[in-house]
Amino acid sequence: MSGSVFSTDNRCAALPAKIRKLAPNARNTALCALLLVDGGLSAQQALATALAHVAASKATQGEGVSAPGLTAVERNLCSELVYGYLRTEIRIAFILSKVLPRPQSLPRPLQHVLGLAVYGLLFQDRVPDHAAVFTAVETARALYGLGLAKVVNGALRSVQRLADAPMQQDFYAGEGVAPHSPQHLAHFYSLPVWIVGHWNKRYGPEAAEQLAQRSFARPWGALRVNASHARAQQLRAALLACGGEAVGQWGCAFAPGTLPAVVDDKPLAEWQVCGAVSFQSAGSQLVLEQLGLYGWNKPVWDVCAGFGGKTVALLERGIAVPLASDRSRQRLAGLPGQCDRLALPQPSTLLVDAAHPPLTEWRGHMLVDAPCSGLGVLARRPDIRRRPQQQAVEHEQVQHNILERLAGLLQPGCELAYITCTLRVQENEKQIERLMRDHSGLRLCKQWQTPNDHPWLEGMFGALLRKQ
């Protein structure tokens, strides 16, 4: 089927006309999503935009305004291609450098066409090799003609001749790259060298490899059972019986591809709609328990509430959260709907930068899920790999500004919980050390980080401080 996939969005209109005229199928939609990531969107934003415009394209071609776009199978394939390719992009670039003299000189869309095909050859068992090669060659022909189509075909045939060598660590060593060095691990586990180097320096070589391996694996999914729901106990037991891994008191995590469609004779989607369960990452659930926040007995201000996952988790456990703030209107807008679905009291919301809140005091506890570099969630957010190191450095000042302002508002006997989803000392332990050095009235009650050797849990850091 031909037709424009991305003609109705300003961000997509900037893509080359030949790209926008590709047939709206899973692979071409993934290609367009990757180009949107190149333009600065997150993987989640790019994928949502791409899928929405497939539906818009089909509607304009006479399939009706309610045309669903890609089928469920195609949407799943598209999502796997986008997230899987971004997770393996650095390794794939290394492989292509072994079969092409200068792959980086190819047009950017063609680099993605090649990369998606290599991903199919190496990581998609259910996609026949000949189909991955044929699709890439035909796409290259449509975009750039016979000459570059032959280049794509030759490169992919060369990758096939490598057999399973690219799946072995030895393939990425040699030529001045020592085995298990940061550069070696960075190529094999598809990470920027600076990230592996930081982990190697701060946590040691063994932990660095464990963290790199975890970031390369497909992420686990997790559910949080609503503790205030009438069937909470029964539902959590049923989820565990379906193969779920216990996460804290009310969470269940599932390995990739094992999330049950039906739980206790009812579709999981219905349990979600009726407010019995919510999706929340396992690490986010566990850090709240590890810091003891479910024992809080004073009003809580969720300072960087985002979409409100931690806000509603606390509310489900009977913790009063009268105020939730964030600097993003879009993120805060979803909180009232969550509270309605879960039958929870609605906090007041405040659209504000956490470093400049219009408050003179807060007589309660504060929860700060701070903006960070995200190095603990690289499996779930693979596009973070593309962020420059300088962006991580810039987070340090943002975090410091927030903590400085809140420390001045914190009242005696009240606590401040600082949480990040990164594994970077300058954004975690160093921030706490600096804050306590500058504010002698603060006492560190607890500090926790996800175990480095845990095979699938997201990397989270948390610290709990009390004002004396």
Side-chain angles (χ1 to χ4, degrees), residues 14 36 56 70 85 141 158 173 191 199 212 247 251 254-255 269 271 336 342 370 385 426 453 466:
L36 291 173
L70 299 182
Y85 172 68
R141 189 195 307 273
S158 295
L191 288 166
W199 290 342
V247 176
F254 291 87
W271 286 115
L342 297 164
R385 288 167 161 80
Q426 294 91 330
D453 60 354
R466 173 179 279 267

Side-chain angles (χ1 to χ4, degrees), residues 188-371:
F188 183 67
Y189 291 112
S190 197
L191 288 166
V193 176
W194 73 265
I195 294 179
V196 183
H198 176 80
W199 290 342
N200 189 75
K201 179 180 178 180
R202 298 296 182 176
Y203 308 131
E206 183 178 356
E209 183 154 9
Q210 290 168 339
L211 293 173
Q213 185 175 9
R214 187 166 78 192
S215 73
F216 188 75
R218 292 175 63 195
W220 283 46
L223 297 165
R224 185 191 70 248
V225 176
N226 182 353
S228 65
H229 194 273
R231 299 182 65 181
Q233 293 279 6
Q234 176 184 344
L235 181 56
R236 185 165 187 270
L239 286 167
L240 294 174
C242 290
E245 184 90 14
V247 176
Q249 187 174 352
W250 290 104
C252 290
F254 291 87
T258 67
L259 189 71
V262 177
V263 181
D264 203 18
D265 298 325
K266 187 174 181 177
L268 180 60
E270 290 188 21
W271 286 115
Q272 185 181 10
V273 169
C274 77
V277 298
S278 300
F279 284 92
Q280 186 183 26
S281 69
S284 292
Q285 295 183 56
L286 197 55
V287 69
L288 297 177
E289 294 209 5
Q290 290 293 328
L291 293 182
L293 304 195
Y294 292 123
W296 269 352
N297 57 5
K298 295 182 181 180
V300 178
W301 170 21
D302 190 348
V303 181
C304 303
F307 293 102
K310 292 181 175 66
T311 297
V312 294
L314 290 170
L315 289 168
E316 288 173 357
R317 302 284 280 271
I319 309 301
V321 187
L323 180 62
S325 63
D326 199 88
R327 64 182 179 180
S328 168
R329 186 185 304 274
Q330 181 184 7
R331 289 195 291 263
L332 271 182
L335 182 55
Q338 281 202 74
C339 291
D340 286 344
R341 178 178 64 87
L342 297 164
L344 298 171
Q346 248 182 60
S348 298
T349 57
L350 185 63
L351 185 65
V352 67
D353 185 334
H356 306 285
L359 281 74
T360 56
E361 64 176 26
W362 176 256
R363 295 189 176 278
H365 303 308
M366 302 178 191
L367 170 60
V368 187
D369 191 358

Side-chain angles (χ1 to χ4, degrees), residues 19-231:
I19 298 289
R20 290 184 279 116
K21 291 180 181 179
L22 290 172
N25 56 38
R27 288 187 175 274
N28 291 338
T29 305
L31 170 61
C32 291
L34 291 171
L35 291 170
L36 291 173
V37 174
D38 289 347
L41 294 187
S42 69
Q44 184 180 25
Q45 292 169 331
L47 185 60
T49 300
L51 292 173
H53 284 280
V54 171
S57 173
K58 290 192 173 186
T60 60
Q61 292 176 34
E63 297 190 22
V65 293
S66 61
L70 299 182
T71 66
V73 172
E74 289 175 316
R75 287 197 301 273
N76 289 337
L77 173 58
C78 182
S79 180
E80 180 193 350
L81 287 169
V82 171
Y83 281 91
Y85 172 68
L86 288 171
R87 202 160 45 243
T88 57
E89 184 177 24
I90 293 173
R91 184 196 282 197
I92 287 173
F94 181 90
I95 296 167
L96 287 173
S97 73
K98 297 300 182 183
V99 299
L100 285 171
R102 289 190 306 123
Q104 69 278 8
S105 68
L106 295 171
R108 187 61 172 169
L110 195 62
Q111 292 179 43
H112 289 325
V113 170
L114 267 169
L116 287 168
V118 174
Y119 178 78
L121 291 174
L122 298 180
F123 300 103
Q124 289 186 294
D125 294 336
R126 289 180 290 182
V127 176
D129 287 0
H130 67 84
V133 174
F134 175 80
T135 301
V137 171
E138 289 304 302
T139 302
R141 189 195 307 273
L143 293 176
Y144 299 106
L146 183 60
L148 285 179
K150 289 182 177 179
V151 171
V152 168
N153 183 66
L156 294 178
R157 297 299 182 190
S158 295
V159 171
Q160 286 182 295
R161 285 192 288 272
L162 293 173
D164 70 340
M167 306 304 285
Q168 310 303 318
Q169 285 202 21
D170 291 348
F171 184 78
Y172 304 87
E175 299 180 11
V177 178
H180 302 286
S181 66
Q183 187 175 358
H184 177 221
L185 296 180
H187 284 146
F188 183 67
Y189 291 112
S190 197
L191 288 166
V193 176
W194 73 265
I195 294 179
V196 183
H198 176 80
W199 290 342
N200 189 75
K201 179 180 178 180
R202 298 296 182 176
Y203 308 131
E206 183 178 356
E209 183 154 9
Q210 290 168 339
L211 293 173
Q213 185 175 9
R214 187 166 78 192
S215 73
F216 188 75
R218 292 175 63 195
W220 283 46
L223 297 165
R224 185 191 70 248
V225 176
N226 182 353
S228 65
H229 194 273
R231 299 182 65 181

